[in-house]
Amino acid sequence: MKHGKKYQDSTKLVDTTVLYDTTEAIENCLKTAKAKFDETVEIHVRLGVDSRHAEQQVRGAVVLPNGTGKTVRVMVFCKGDKVDAALAAGADYAGADEYMQKIQGGWMDFDVVIASPDMMGVVGRLGKILGPRGLMPSPKAGTVTPDVVKAVQEAKAGKIEYRLDKTNIIHCPIGKVSFGAEKLTENYNALMGAIVKAKPAAAKGQYIRSCVAASTMGPGVKMNTAKMV
């Protein structure tokens, strides 16, 4: 793959043989972000678990203290008084069967789906649509809950879900370049704290194998996670 001049210039600012401490790593990410738009800073964490085994799955959600910098569109499946409560809490859409039919017809103008437990019979019919996109509500992520108001407020405040992919890596955004190093570091610490807390009992050996930070268009910056676990 041939990279552009800006990317090549950015790589000169980072030593790929060094594991940078958190603050320095994030500062390097900011230095290498040269795009004209406000780039997202992402964290990629490789864990010493095997995602093929259910007892070694790592999945959960955390509210980033400074949010993600992204406007999140929230769809809530609920009925009765909860519809008005969800909308009042900031949900973009709230309802039941009418939204199920819209989604089945191809409508996807939302980023997060929340459901009250009594609506899972309806939401379950959308599994083949929402599942592959990572939008299926789940109790573990806090998106299946009787308290839809709290779930909406958390989603709007910057709640993100983390989970392993097939290569045992977690990929998560921790904010925008415009946040600055201090706020990004706070978000990083919140995310990593949640991942460490979610360590499966079945995990053996070194839990966090590696961690890399990168802006949308920038090179990866290797991070020292020795103090994490």
Side-chain angles (χ1 to χ4, degrees):
M1 181 183 293
K2 185 177 181 180
H3 292 289
K5 185 176 183 298
K6 287 184 179 180
Y7 182 92
Q8 292 175 7
D9 288 343
S10 294
T11 60
K12 297 174 184 177
L13 301 174
V14 178
D15 187 340
T16 58
T17 66
V18 173
L19 295 178
Y20 292 94
D21 286 337
T22 302
T23 301
E24 190 175 4
I26 290 176
E27 287 175 346
N28 279 334
C29 273
L30 301 184
K31 291 176 185 176
T32 60
K34 298 180 180 294
K36 293 181 180 179
F37 61 90
D38 192 6
E39 297 181 51
T40 297
V41 176
E42 297 181 345
I43 299 296
H44 308 274
V45 188
R46 185 165 66 92
L47 299 182
V49 296
D50 189 341
S51 61
R52 293 175 298 178
H53 301 290
E55 70 275 12
Q56 293 189 45
Q57 281 291 335
V58 179
R59 181 179 182 181
V62 59
V63 178
L64 299 181
N66 300 298
T68 63
K70 179 183 177 182
T71 301
V72 179
R73 300 167 298 175
V74 179
M75 168 72 232
V76 182
F77 280 98
C78 57
K79 57 187 177 182
D81 294 341
K82 288 184 178 180
V83 172
D84 291 335
L87 292 171
D92 297 271
Y93 315 99
D97 292 318
E98 67 275 24
Y99 284 104
M100 178 192 70
Q101 293 168 6
K102 284 186 69 173
I103 292 171
Q104 287 176 329
W107 177 75
M108 294 294 292
D109 292 341
F110 48 85
D111 306 296
V112 176
V113 180
I114 294 166
S116 58
D118 59 334
M119 294 303 299
M120 288 310 293
V122 172
V123 179
R125 301 178 210 171
L126 301 173
K128 290 183 179 180
I129 300 172
L130 299 179
R133 293 172 171 82
L135 293 171
M136 193 66 182
S138 76
K140 195 162 187 178
T143 46
V144 176
T145 172
D147 192 349
V148 295
V149 169
K150 181 181 178 182
V152 169
Q153 291 170 339
E154 289 181 341
K156 289 289 187 177
K159 185 175 184 178
I160 61 169
E161 185 177 352
Y162 58 86
R163 59 180 171 180
L164 287 176
D165 66 9
K166 292 180 180 179
T167 60
N168 304 317
I169 299 176
I170 290 174
H171 311 271
C172 276
I174 59 167
K176 298 288 187 178
V177 166
S178 60
F179 281 20
E182 184 177 347
K183 289 184 176 180
L184 288 170
T185 298
E186 289 174 356
N187 282 356
Y188 168 81
N189 288 334
L191 171 63
M192 293 302 288
I195 292 173
V196 169
K197 190 174 181 181
K199 180 180 179 180
K204 305 297 181 184
Q206 185 179 357
Y207 179 49
I208 297 180
R209 295 287 178 85
S210 65
C211 182
V212 174
S215 60
T216 304
M217 304 297 288
V221 182
K222 296 179 181 177
M223 304 181 75
N224 184 358
T225 59
K227 296 177 182 178
M228 288 288 175
V229 180

